[in-house]
Amino acid sequence: MPAWLMVPAAIAAVLFLLPLIGLLTAAPWGEMWSLVSDAATLDALALSLECSLASAVLCLVLGLPLATWLAHGNDALRTTVRVFTTLPMVLPPIVGGLALLLVYGKNHLIGGSLHRWFGIEVPFTAAGVVLATTYVAMPFFVLTVEAGLRGFDRRYSEAAATLGAGPWRTFRTVTLPMIAPSVRAGLLIAWARALGEFGATITFAGSFQGRTRTMPLAIHHTFESQPAAAIALSLILLAVSAAVLFCLRRQWFPSR
Amino acid sequence: MVPLEMNIDATFTATRGTLKLDISLQVGDGETLALLGPNGAGKSTVLRMLAGLQDIERGQISLAGTLVDGGPGAVFVPPEQRNVGVMFQDHLLFPHLRLLDNVAFGLTSKGVKKRLARTVARYWLDRIGMGDYRNARPDELSGGQAQRVALARALANKPQLLLLDEPLAAADATARLELRRTLQTQLKSFGGSCVLVAHDIGDALALADRIAVLEEGRIVQTGTINELGARPASRYVADLIGLNCFRGTCSGNVLTMANGAEIILGTAHDGQAIATVHPRAVALFRERPAGSPRNVFQAPVVAVERALDCIRVRLGGNLPIVAEVTESAVGDLGLDRGGDVWAAVKATEFRVAPA
């Protein structure tokens, strides 16, 4: 690495470090414990973790097949579907939330039928939070995994086929283990995106304590009345995220 | 020479990039056929068709009496149901599995219980001398070792038919001889039919019963080495088999043939061996030449053959050899009148392989 590259590299590192220092210095350390043990905080934290995890699982179950299909060709249909799939990455999340409301809302397309026939309401429930975060997070997973699959040497699947493995066994025992680093990276990115999701969630699911108020929403809610408490909440979210990233550092960051 | 029982009967056309293939290929039960040809002739593509990894355009492929590909819209048996073992050019061992599970993969795919499959896999690894490596990952192996494991992986599945795509290409010079020996042994005990893509006539001679020469997507000639040599169908074939070939017993640098004639080689070997040398490397003189060539001998001129762009001089005696010379040399040496000439070949010009 050329020595002069250290200058922009250091600037980049400082860019990430400064806000962290800002939060740490402004935090109300005295009230920290009472805030952490507060029921509303614990509710929000639990809801955040549950919903982001559910979102990551949905990414895996639905996004992996989608990514596999996308990686298997370059035709117009796939290109079109890929554009759709990546749209939530560029749209402001609030637009996504609004669009979801127009589909799943009680008086709209699918939401109306769901309500009429099954009595199910998605908006303004925890399921709504999961739907909104998945909508925003899955594109990151799909793109990462598709890139992994496109880099996968298909001759390995051919070798598996000549050894008597059908398409499903080949996918399960050869393709998937070989692209595992991409799947793990995709899951991590999607989970992180889901954990921090704000715009789509507040639009589609609202901010009801204990039901739909995740950590980002709780921070937003507190910020208006008690800015100091909001900083404390931010630090809690930060600490939890950092702890998770630290625990997964070996297995989950693509190191090769 | 072709046995009545046909294990592979394939007649098809296909396209790969700009190359049009038009193939007719028959391989008998238990026979090994070598596909030889220049780069880009379509050798590997033929194997892909037989394995079911690529569709044919027209024609049909039958393996062991069963139609496996009848062309578009007709029967197509997918590769996983063909029971064909393939050894790929760059081994393609699964990098995430240890060797034992690589070799067991085919059996577990067929529904064999994991424990039994591993026992069989261990037997195969032992057979190719890689038993100690069963817990190693493919990236810990050399090219030659990986190819041997790839062979074991294909054979452990008990295929009806074995396809080897340049099995010796990935091995370096020393590993090559060992790998070739392994292939010889395993092919002998395999007993099924085998098609192998070879690059080198020596490999083809050592491993195959017959040779099919593929040029620009067509098989221009099929036969034993003698059949090809008797009437080469193309310049490529002539070049391919136009090499001088000596079979004998090696001891150190000396190859002794059955009739007692000796050749000095550039490298040391032991046991049965085939030494080849290109006719261009054989120099002719009227008087005994001075200088360094280690092989200098006197022999009668048997024939002077004028080919398209060279002249081949065939010498008799107990070391029959062909020399390639220019028209002016024929005049200078008065070769057309026959008689005895002196031939000189440098020891380093010989290529040696175990027979």
Side-chain angles (χ1 to χ4, degrees):
Chain A
M1 172 178 180
W4 65 266
L5 275 184
M6 284 305 290
V7 178
I11 293 175
V14 168
L15 197 67
F16 292 110
L17 199 61
L18 285 181
L20 208 57
I21 294 170
L23 273 178
L24 286 171
T25 48
W29 294 103
E31 318 156 42
M32 203 58 131
W33 179 246
S34 62
L35 270 165
V36 171
S37 51
D38 182 55
T41 310
L42 290 177
D43 274 353
L45 194 58
L47 191 68
S48 261
L49 289 176
E50 284 161 15
C51 288
S52 60
L53 259 174
S55 213
V57 170
L58 272 180
C59 282
L60 188 67
V61 174
L62 303 176
L64 186 60
L66 179 61
T68 308
W69 178 73
L70 283 174
H72 255 265
N74 279 317
D75 48 287
L77 182 64
R78 281 182 173 82
T79 311
T80 316
V81 172
R82 191 179 299 109
V83 169
F84 278 78
T85 316
T86 38
L87 220 48
M89 290 172 79
V90 282
L91 278 182
I94 189 168
V95 177
L98 210 60
L100 285 174
L101 214 47
L102 294 177
V103 177
Y104 299 99
K106 216 196 285 191
N107 303 318
H108 298 281
L109 271 171
I110 296 173
S113 315
L114 279 178
H115 182 65
R116 230 173 297 125
W117 297 338
F118 306 104
I120 298 173
E121 274 180 66
V122 183
F124 311 110
T125 64
V129 177
V130 175
L131 184 61
T133 52
T134 306
Y135 176 78
V136 175
M138 202 185 317
F140 293 90
F141 177 82
V142 171
L143 282 197
T144 311
V145 174
E146 196 199 336
L149 280 164
R150 284 191 180 270
F152 171 70
D153 187 343
R154 262 197 222 142
R155 294 177 310 156
Y156 284 103
S157 335
E158 294 183 347
T162 66
L163 290 165
W168 169 236
R169 183 176 150 81
T170 301
F171 183 72
R172 202 165 42 84
T173 60
V174 176
T175 314
L176 211 48
M178 283 183 71
I179 61 152
S182 302
V183 176
R184 284 197 291 253
L187 272 177
L188 186 69
I189 299 169
W191 171 79
R193 181 66 188 83
L195 187 69
E197 217 300 306
F198 174 76
T201 312
I202 200 162
T203 317
F204 184 59
S207 177
F208 302 104
Q209 199 229 306
R211 207 141 53 89
T212 68
R213 187 177 294 160
T214 56
M215 279 304 271
L217 272 59
I219 294 165
H220 173 75
H221 177 80
T222 325
F223 187 65
E224 287 165 359
S225 48
Q226 315 159 253
I231 294 169
L233 287 180
S234 304
L235 271 177
I236 294 165
L237 185 60
L238 197 106
V240 172
S241 315
V244 172
L245 288 183
F246 187 76
C247 291
L248 298 177
R249 71 195 180 281
R250 286 259 161 67
Q251 302 90 325
W252 290 71
F253 280 112
S255 58
R256 270 194 288 179
Chain B
M1 173 65 207
V2 180
L4 286 174
E5 188 97 6
M6 277 306 143
N7 209 328
I8 305 175
D9 190 352
T11 310
F12 60 83
T13 62
T15 311
R16 174 107 169 153
T18 56
L19 181 70
K20 289 242 180 278
L21 283 113
D22 190 347
I23 300 292
S24 176
L25 189 74
Q26 283 79 34
V27 183
D29 207 8
E31 188 187 29
T32 297
L33 179 84
L35 271 180
L36 271 170
N39 284 336
K43 302 181 296 271
S44 300
T45 311
V46 172
L47 290 198
R48 291 178 61 82
M49 307 281 170
L50 295 177
L53 297 174
Q54 202 176 326
D55 297 333
I56 63 174
E57 273 164 13
R58 252 179 318 118
Q60 55 172 49
I61 298 176
S62 296
L63 302 180
T66 309
L67 183 68
V68 294
D69 197 342
V75 185
F76 179 77
V77 178
E80 63 267 25
Q81 288 163 25
R82 286 197 187 188
N83 202 17
V84 168
V86 185
M87 182 176 164
F88 294 88
Q89 197 173 338
D90 25 12
H91 68 74
L92 298 182
L93 293 175
F94 304 125
H96 59 291
L97 297 180
R98 58 200 180 121
L99 299 192
L100 192 66
D101 290 329
N102 258 288
V103 178
F105 187 90
L107 290 168
T108 44
S109 293
K110 285 180 170 175
V112 175
K113 289 269 176 298
K114 201 153 204 166
R115 181 191 285 251
L116 177 61
R118 282 189 173 150
T119 309
V120 178
R122 187 176 295 194
Y123 161 78
W124 278 100
L125 283 173
D126 285 338
R127 252 187 96 155
I128 52 147
M130 291 292 290
D132 293 342
Y133 290 81
R134 63 179 174 269
N135 291 320
R137 303 269 162 181
D139 61 4
E140 297 168 40
L141 305 183
S142 71
Q145 289 176 323
Q147 284 302 63
R148 270 152 64 201
V149 176
L151 178 69
R153 184 175 70 170
L155 285 171
N157 223 9
K158 290 230 170 299
Q160 285 181 323
L161 168 70
L162 197 57
L163 304 174
L164 313 177
D165 191 359
E166 301 224 13
L168 295 150
D172 59 40
T174 35
R176 210 181 151 86
L177 295 181
E178 198 188 344
L179 179 57
R180 192 150 98 172
R181 219 183 283 278
T182 308
L183 280 165
Q184 271 176 321
T185 321
Q186 299 304 330
L187 279 181
K188 209 166 280 172
S189 57
F190 166 57
S193 304
C194 173
V195 179
L196 68 96
V197 167
H199 207 70
D200 184 282
I201 183 85
D203 294 340
L205 282 175
L207 300 172
D209 303 310
R210 276 193 310 148
I211 293 169
V213 181
L214 192 63
E215 282 181 68
E216 288 170 1
R218 280 165 190 278
I219 291 178
V220 296
Q221 198 168 12
T222 313
T224 62
I225 186 75
N226 292 332
E227 286 163 358
L228 297 189
R231 190 184 276 208
S234 73
R235 175 72 213 214
Y236 176 80
V237 178
D239 270 353
L240 198 66
I241 45 97
L243 302 170
N244 291 294
C245 183
F246 303 100
R247 194 184 280 265
T249 313
C250 243
S251 169
N253 275 13
V254 182
L255 178 93
T256 311
M257 298 200 296
N259 64 5
E262 287 184 350
I263 293 171
I264 315 292
L265 307 171
T267 49
H269 297 269
D270 271 304
Q272 291 285 312
I274 298 172
T276 54
V277 66
H278 197 279
R280 266 195 297 272
V282 182
L284 299 183
F285 306 90
R286 267 298 173 192
E287 302 300 330
R288 188 189 170 95
S292 61
R294 302 290 307 273
N295 296 287
V296 177
F297 54 92
Q298 202 172 20
V301 175
V302 175
V304 178
E305 299 160 350
R306 287 178 166 78
L308 281 175
D309 49 358
C310 70
I311 298 166
R312 286 168 169 247
V313 180
R314 202 171 288 278
L315 304 185
N318 60 359
L319 207 68
I321 198 165
V322 175
E324 206 176 292
V325 296
T326 58
E327 185 66 55
S328 65
V330 174
D332 291 349
L333 296 173
L335 292 176
D336 283 324
R337 42 183 173 93
D340 280 4
V341 291
W342 287 89
V345 191
K346 284 188 202 162
T348 49
E349 293 287 354
F350 285 96
R351 292 191 57 193
V352 191

